[in-house]
């Protein structure tokens, strides 16, 4: 009896295309090419396992091409949702709202246009939201310099305390938040338990060019 030949190996397509409508595409490694084609398309990039830097080049948007480390290429993508790992990453968005979740590295992130969410993680980070109402999520163990924080554009700050159900007003009233004036701008400090006294204040962000008097509970969500 003749031996049965094994089936050919399954290979991924070299280019993954969207459709003529609005698509959500997903990449989970630093390889491949994605084309959103027509419509408003988002690319979710999940690289939380990486220990190396993710460096972005090109531009994001309809008719534009961008890449991560030159090996993950995407074009005609209007919005990106990027999760990275422990490397020192360099990321940016386009004119629409983008989502960035950086890890433990010293990262540089720019949202550019649109209403962006920048979850800055730990590390010594440099962040710019660009035009639009942007949300900067801060973390203990990290320090982020935000170069263009603008309350008038709708920018807001967010920090997740270990204590649940703490409102921004409560955090200010109990001393969990403190805003300190420096020559460079307003420094945001947090104390996880406020007046209880188990923790001490930790600086987690600098709002460049912003006066401490202009930073109140209404700018935190």
């Amino acid at each position: 009896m003749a031996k049965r030949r094994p089936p050919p190996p399954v290979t991924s397509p070299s280019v993954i295309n969207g459709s003529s409508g609005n698509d959500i595409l997903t990449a989970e490694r630093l390889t491949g090419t994605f084309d959103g084609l027509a419509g408003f398309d988002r690319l979710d990039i999940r690289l939380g396992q990486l220990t190396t830097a993710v460096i972005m080049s090109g531009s994001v948007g309809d008719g534009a091409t961008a890449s991560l480390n030159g090996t993950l290429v995407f074009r005609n993508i209007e919005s990106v949702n990027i999760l990275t790992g422990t490397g020192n990453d360099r990321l940016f968005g386009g004119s629409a709202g983008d989502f960035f979740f950086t890890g433990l590295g010293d990262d540089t992130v720019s949202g550019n246009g649109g209403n962006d969410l920048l979850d800055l993680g730990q590390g010594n980070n440099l962040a710019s939201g660009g035009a639009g109402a942007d949300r900067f999520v801060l973390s203990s163990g990290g320090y982020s310099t935000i170069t263009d924080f603008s309350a008038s554009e709708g920018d807001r700050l967010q920090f997740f305390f270990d204590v649940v159900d703490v409102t921004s007003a409560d955090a200010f009233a109990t001393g969990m938040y403190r805003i300190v004036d420096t020559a460079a701008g307003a420094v945001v400090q947090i104390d996880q338990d406020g007046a209880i006294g188990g923790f001490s204040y930790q600086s987690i962000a600098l709002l460049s060019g912003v006066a401490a008097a202009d930073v109140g509970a209404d700018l935190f969500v």
Side-chain angles (χ1 to χ4, degrees), residues 84-204:
T84 59
T86 60
N88 300 330
D89 307 312
R90 303 292 181 267
L91 307 170
F92 57 83
S95 60
D98 302 295
F99 305 85
F100 300 96
F101 303 87
T102 64
L104 302 179
D106 299 335
D107 305 308
T108 300
V109 186
S110 177
N112 290 329
N115 301 334
D116 307 302
L117 188 150
L118 293 81
D119 190 329
L120 300 171
Q122 298 183 4
N124 188 2
N125 307 303
L126 182 65
S128 167
D134 306 304
R135 180 179 299 190
F136 301 89
V137 182
L138 308 174
S139 173
S140 61
Y143 185 83
S144 298
T145 298
I146 301 173
T147 62
D148 64 345
F149 186 86
S150 173
S152 63
E153 287 189 359
D155 291 350
R156 294 296 182 266
L157 302 167
Q158 186 169 9
F159 181 86
F160 292 103
F161 287 97
D162 292 338
V163 182
V164 298
D165 297 328
V166 175
T167 66
S168 298
D170 291 339
F172 272 92
T174 58
M176 290 181 169
Y177 281 129
R178 182 171 73 179
I179 312 299
V180 179
D181 251 328
T182 71
V187 172
V188 180
Q189 298 183 335
I190 60 102
D191 181 340
Q192 287 279 10
D193 60 1
I196 295 175
F199 291 87
S200 57
Y201 281 107
Q202 172 195 353
S203 297
I204 58 173

Side-chain angles (χ1 to χ4, degrees), residues 2 10 12 29 38 46 61 79 87 97 118-119 124 129 177 179 189 198 206 213 218:
V10 177
S12 299
R29 59 186 64 187
R46 303 169 182 169
S79 175
L118 293 81
D119 190 329
N124 188 2
Y177 281 129
I179 312 299
Q189 298 183 335
L206 166 67
D218 59 315

Side-chain angles (χ1 to χ4, degrees), residues 13-120:
S14 58
V15 179
I16 298 177
N17 291 325
S19 67
S20 60
N22 302 332
D23 305 302
I24 298 177
L25 306 176
T26 301
E28 295 185 333
R29 59 186 64 187
L30 270 175
T31 58
T33 300
F34 294 79
D35 192 333
L37 300 179
F40 185 94
D41 307 302
R42 189 182 86 197
L43 178 61
D44 291 349
I45 304 173
R46 303 169 182 169
L47 303 173
Q49 77 283 0
L50 283 186
T51 58
T52 56
V54 176
I55 308 300
M56 195 168 178
S57 60
S59 58
V60 177
D62 183 37
T65 299
S67 73
L68 300 183
N69 292 16
T71 55
L72 173 59
V73 179
F74 50 95
R75 51 183 176 261
N76 297 312
I77 297 293
E78 284 72 28
S79 175
V80 291
N81 182 342
I82 303 178
L83 167 67
T84 59
T86 60
N88 300 330
D89 307 312
R90 303 292 181 267
L91 307 170
F92 57 83
S95 60
D98 302 295
F99 305 85
F100 300 96
F101 303 87
T102 64
L104 302 179
D106 299 335
D107 305 308
T108 300
V109 186
S110 177
N112 290 329
N115 301 334
D116 307 302
L117 188 150
L118 293 81
D119 190 329
L120 300 171

